[in-house]
Structure formats: structure tokens, C-alpha cells
Amino acid sequence: MSLAEKIPQQLQAKIDNIIDNVEPSPWLNAAEQADYIEKIKALLKEKDAVLIAHYYVDDAIQALAEASGGYVSDSLDMANFGAQHSASTLVIAGVRFMGETAKILSPEKTIIMPTLEAECSLDLGCPIDEFSQFCDQYPDHTVVVYANTSVEVKARADWIVTSSNAIQIIEHLMAKGEKIIWGPDRHLGQYINNKTGANMVLWQGYCVVHDEFKLNELELLMQAHPDAEVLVHPESPEGVIAKADFVGSTKQIIAAGKRSKADTLIIATDHGLFYKMSQQVPDKRLIPAPTGDKSATCKSCAHCPWMAMNTLVNLYEALRDGSNVIEVDEVTRQKALIPLNRMLAFSRQQGILTAGDA
Ligand code: 13P
Ligand code: SF4
């Protein structure tokens, strides 16, 4: 077994254990929820802070981000918004790599997260020492990593990509004749290989949420809804991606939904996206792609266990106490900044990010 396959497999038990021990969010009644929202809004003003949330976090946090002058988006756009915003504190509701990305881009700002326990299976499945050893086996290859990685892995990379810009960046590198190592998501890597012919060497990590989407059940659902369009996040398995009418990042899936003429959309991504999606396309029927078939487990819920760790309560406490601050080593940060800035500059040039996005 190659190094690229061994490490993610070894980590599976650890990841399963983490998922099994995720604490359920505290239940709040409507009055308590409203009270937390008002207290958080007041603290955001008092502390010159802005709340930036990913589409997969709790609906109430997404609504609060928007109502308080913050932002809800995909990982690329969150990074761009935070870097361009004038607030001295960024509160990142999402998973740790998103907070770290904000810190890499804005070292002068205080970056707070509702919890520092919110990980990502892609990040956990790509430890720096083993990944670096893997890269060393291909010294003439350009190292491209997904944003869902640690600061150390980013610092080892030549390029960072997100699902919004991965295809364009790989095509750009191919045009220059570069050979490429890709990590950590094997499904996204395979999708890029299939679409571009890049023949990248793939690390074998995966997202525990998207890996659960099931082809057989999706086919049955498509038969039941023959006019539906299928929108898929590229962290999903190859067979599921092959059925898609559109493949893209969370933000791009929403945009594709808005463009779509179909009355019904089948969506293969974390169900957190349905909050924003249903606002944007209120007249369409939205159906979650199936995660359950004969091999389904209790983890097949299409919701990221780490995103779910962000709650109004821990968000309030972190902001109140100035706790859960993201720190990164300065030397590593400066190394990681190079490929990150490369990605942002490329994305702006290509119109994937526009200067006015923030
Ligand atoms: P996006 O960049 O599409 O927001 O994806 C981030 C992520 O973690 C999806 O699982
Ligand atoms: Fe990571 Fe998957 Fe969660 Fe996204 S949904 S943060 S890729 S574990």
C-alpha cells in the first residue's frame, strides 16, 4: 500500500472516534435564541468584529452573519471577504482550516472561532510529515493542495485551490507542462483528472460527509424525478459526480440552482446549504441526494459533524471572552501565504473572485 493510501486509512479510526464523541448542540428555545443573537450583535459592535460563516453552519448563525453586516459563503469567498474587511477581529464560523486561512491572510487581525475543535476529515487525513515525504517522492512535480488542509501542508504547497477554482488552476499548470501532485481529496482529484486529463498523482484523503453519497440510490431518485437537475459538490464519489448536471463549490451550486430552468433540484452536499439555497430559489423543490443504501451507517447524515460544533452559545462565549483565538507560527504562515496569495490573485484575474466581492 502506498503512503498516500496508508495514512488516510490509519486515520479513519481516529476520525470515527471524533465523530462518535461530538457533543450535541445545546437546545435553545426561541426566547433564548433571540437573546443570544442580540448579545452577539452587541459584542460584534463593541469588539469591532465581523462574523463570517460557511454555508454548512447552523441556520441561525448564517442568518446572524448576514443581519450583522458579516458574510456567508464558500471557503474561497470567506477568505477573500475576511482579508478585505476593515474589522480588527474576524469571527470565523466554520472549521479550523478556515480560521487558519484567515490568519495567514490577515496576521494583524484577531481571528476567533466558536470552537477550536471543529476539524475537517481532509485536514486530519493529511498529516504534514507523511504528506511531505509523499511529495519528496516526486521532486519534479508541482504540489497543489486543497484549502481544506493545515497551515503546514499549505506551506509545503506550490499552489492552493478550492473547489471554486481547482479546474482553472490545474488547466493553467497543465498549459505550462507541469506534472502535478494533488492532495488531499481523492474524489476532487479524480474529478479534476477526468475533466482535464491532468493525470495528477493523488493523495487518498476524503471528506466523510460527501463520501457517503450513494450512486445506486441517486439513480433511483433520478428515475423518480426525471426532470430534476442534479447539482453535486466535487468532494462526492466519482459515480455520483458522473450523474451531475453541475459540479462546483457550495457558492457555485447556489448560483447554478438560480440559473437552472428545472423545477426540482437534487443536491449532493451538506444539508446546511439548503438554508441559503431555499432563500435563493424559493419556488424550486430541493431534494437532498441520498446518503443511505444498504451500506448506510448512522454517520450518513449529510451534515458535517465539525461544522455542527459551531453554536450560538460557543460563538457568544468566545466573543465575550476573547477565547478560541487562532494562532499560527509566523515562519510557516509566511510560507503558506505565497501559494494562498497566488490562488487569490489567479482567481481575481480569472473573474472567479471580483475585487468588489467583499
Ligand atoms: P466550499 O469551498 O465549496 O465551500 O467547500 C468547503 C468544504 O469544506 C466543503 O465540504
Ligand atoms: Fe471537511 Fe467534509 Fe466537513 Fe467540508 S464537509 S469541512 S470537507 S469534513
Side-chain angles (χ1 to χ4, degrees):
M1 189 188 297
S2 75
L3 193 60
E5 287 163 338
K6 200 172 82 190
I7 298 305
Q9 275 198 13
Q10 284 174 351
L11 271 155
Q12 188 54 51
K14 182 177 165 197
I15 291 169
D16 282 352
N17 186 39
I18 293 170
I19 295 172
D20 289 343
N21 289 304
V22 169
E23 297 267 336
S25 320
W27 186 82
L28 301 175
N29 65 34
E32 287 166 334
Q33 183 158 322
D35 185 43
Y36 272 105
I37 288 170
E38 285 319 306
K39 287 193 295 196
I40 293 168
K41 277 185 183 165
L43 278 174
L44 286 167
K45 277 205 185 114
E46 185 189 315
K47 304 220 170 184
D48 184 32
V50 64
L51 174 59
I52 304 173
H54 190 265
Y55 292 120
Y56 295 166
V57 297
D58 190 77
D59 298 359
I61 298 179
Q62 294 189 46
L64 174 56
E66 291 188 323
S68 60
Y71 199 54
V72 184
S73 200
D74 67 6
S75 58
L76 176 68
D77 232 7
M78 287 172 75
N80 186 48
F81 182 87
Q84 295 195 13
H85 201 280
S86 60
S88 57
T89 295
L90 307 181
V91 184
I92 307 291
V95 293
R96 195 169 53 208
F97 80 83
M98 295 171 176
E100 289 180 347
T101 300
K103 188 68 186 175
I104 297 167
L105 292 169
S106 307
E108 75 291 356
K109 292 179 187 166
T110 303
I111 313 294
I112 288 180
M113 298 194 73
T115 167
L116 295 179
E117 306 282 299
E119 313 254 13
C120 165
S121 63
L122 288 165
D123 183 354
L124 289 172
C126 191
I128 180 57
D129 289 347
E130 289 80 358
F131 185 68
S132 200
Q133 236 178 295
F134 170 63
C135 296
D136 291 345
Q137 291 171 2
Y138 304 90
D140 59 342
H141 282 51
T142 299
V143 178
V144 181
V145 303
Y146 196 31
N148 301 35
T149 45
S150 65
V151 191
E152 291 77 15
V153 168
K154 287 185 174 74
R156 180 67 180 79
D158 301 299
W159 280 85
I160 293 164
V161 306
T162 74
S163 13
S164 308
N165 53 29
I167 294 285
Q168 289 96 323
I169 289 178
I170 297 302
E171 282 173 343
H172 167 73
L173 297 175
M174 283 172 72
K176 295 201 294 173
E178 297 186 20
K179 292 190 270 184
I180 303 165
I181 289 184
W182 165 265
D185 188 30
R186 65 180 178 217
H187 294 312
L188 178 53
Q190 190 57 51
Y191 165 65
I192 299 169
N193 273 348
N194 292 347
K195 185 133 177 125
T196 64
N199 197 23
M200 304 184 296
V201 184
L202 307 182
W203 187 256
Q204 293 294 316
Y206 61 95
C207 161
V208 290
V209 179
H210 291 84
D211 194 54
E212 290 291 325
F213 289 113
K214 300 292 189 303
L215 174 60
N216 291 346
E217 297 291 307
L218 175 61
E219 283 172 336
L220 294 176
L221 189 65
M222 289 170 74
Q223 280 165 25
H225 301 278
D227 298 328
E229 271 187 21
V230 180
L231 313 181
V232 174
H233 197 282
E235 291 165 13
S236 307
E238 188 175 4
V240 171
I241 291 182
K243 294 287 166 193
D245 295 292
F246 177 81
V247 182
S249 77
T250 46
K251 184 181 181 186
Q252 292 170 339
I253 287 176
I254 294 175
K258 282 169 81 174
R259 285 194 305 270
S260 168
K261 302 252 181 310
D263 294 330
T264 303
L265 304 173
I266 297 174
I267 300 168
T269 195
D270 184 293
H271 66 61
L273 192 79
F274 282 66
Y275 169 70
K276 190 55 70 221
M277 189 92 186
S278 52
Q279 285 177 349
Q280 299 285 323
V281 288
D283 299 332
K284 292 193 195 294
R285 181 172 180 201
L286 306 179
I287 307 182
T291 50
D293 68 0
K294 291 193 198 79
S295 64
T297 69
C298 58
K299 297 180 187 98
S300 310
C301 66
H303 190 38
C304 177
W306 295 290
M307 291 282 186
M309 287 178 172
N310 293 269
T311 69
L312 286 175
V313 177
N314 58 20
L315 167 49
Y316 165 69
E317 289 170 355
L319 196 51
R320 179 195 62 193
D321 301 344
S323 56
N324 299 346
V325 172
I326 293 281
E327 303 286 359
V328 300
D329 168 70
E330 181 55 17
V331 174
T332 319
R333 185 192 74 79
Q334 285 189 17
K335 284 191 193 148
L337 183 61
I338 298 166
L340 206 45
N341 273 337
R342 206 169 266 153
M343 169 184 84
L344 290 175
F346 179 90
S347 303
R348 286 192 190 107
Q349 256 168 31
Q350 299 291 312
I352 303 164
L353 271 177
T354 53
D357 266 357

